[in-house]
Amino acid sequence: MALAGAEGARQEGRGRRDLAAHRCLRIRLGDDSLYRWEFEREGETIALDVPGAVTLDNTQFALTLAAAGGGLAYLPEPCVGPSVARGELRIVLADWVVAGAGFHLYYPGRRQLPTGLRLLVDLIREVRPLGL
């Protein structure tokens, strides 16, 4: 979802095409490509390559920078819930929020699972990050 710091809340309600006029925090993916912000409403789905001088590969840093007014951010809903509840961030373009399928971890059958992967799966089940 697209977010702005409390001071950037005035952007709320503007259209997705207006993103070109704003500072956006871009996200670099693990394959070195830039994430295109995804929006969906009434059956229309789009992915936008937003403008921005800052490109990040760390969700927590993007969250902190957006809350400080460094630009609009596009982050997963489970990561931003507490910041939105505290009023540090505001959802923008709420009518264009994508209801995604969520996070998934795929791994081979239970037999001969590499030790590192088994430990990761066990840790995720125990800690339940993001409240999942």
Side-chain angles (χ1 to χ4, degrees):
M1 63 182 35
L3 304 140
E7 294 300 315
R10 65 184 174 279
Q11 308 304 335
E12 194 166 6
R14 290 198 150 171
R16 60 181 163 67
R17 289 185 177 91
D18 290 332
L19 289 173
H22 300 290
R23 288 181 317 220
C24 297
L25 304 176
R26 303 175 82 185
I27 302 293
R28 184 166 308 282
L29 300 174
D31 65 359
D32 232 18
S33 65
L34 293 175
Y35 182 74
R36 297 181 68 192
W37 292 18
E38 300 172 74
F39 297 98
E40 181 181 315
R41 180 175 73 181
E42 298 173 3
E44 181 183 1
T45 302
I46 59 168
L48 299 175
D49 184 15
V50 297
V54 177
T55 301
L56 308 163
D57 64 359
N58 182 293
T59 300
Q60 187 59 48
F61 186 51
L63 191 71
T64 302
L65 193 55
L72 299 180
Y74 188 95
L75 298 167
E77 184 178 0
C79 297
V80 302
S83 296
V84 170
R86 289 189 300 266
E88 298 167 353
L89 290 171
R90 312 240 331 137
I91 298 169
V92 295
L93 300 172
D95 56 336
W96 282 91
V97 172
V98 174
F103 298 103
H104 300 277
L105 175 65
Y106 294 97
Y107 54 93
R110 299 192 190 283
R111 285 185 247 164
Q112 299 179 337
L113 197 59
T115 303
L117 182 56
R118 167 56 44 212
L119 291 171
L120 174 63
V121 169
D122 291 344
L123 180 65
I124 291 171
R125 286 183 176 151
E126 178 183 332
V127 175
R128 302 185 60 81
L130 308 176
L132 302 175

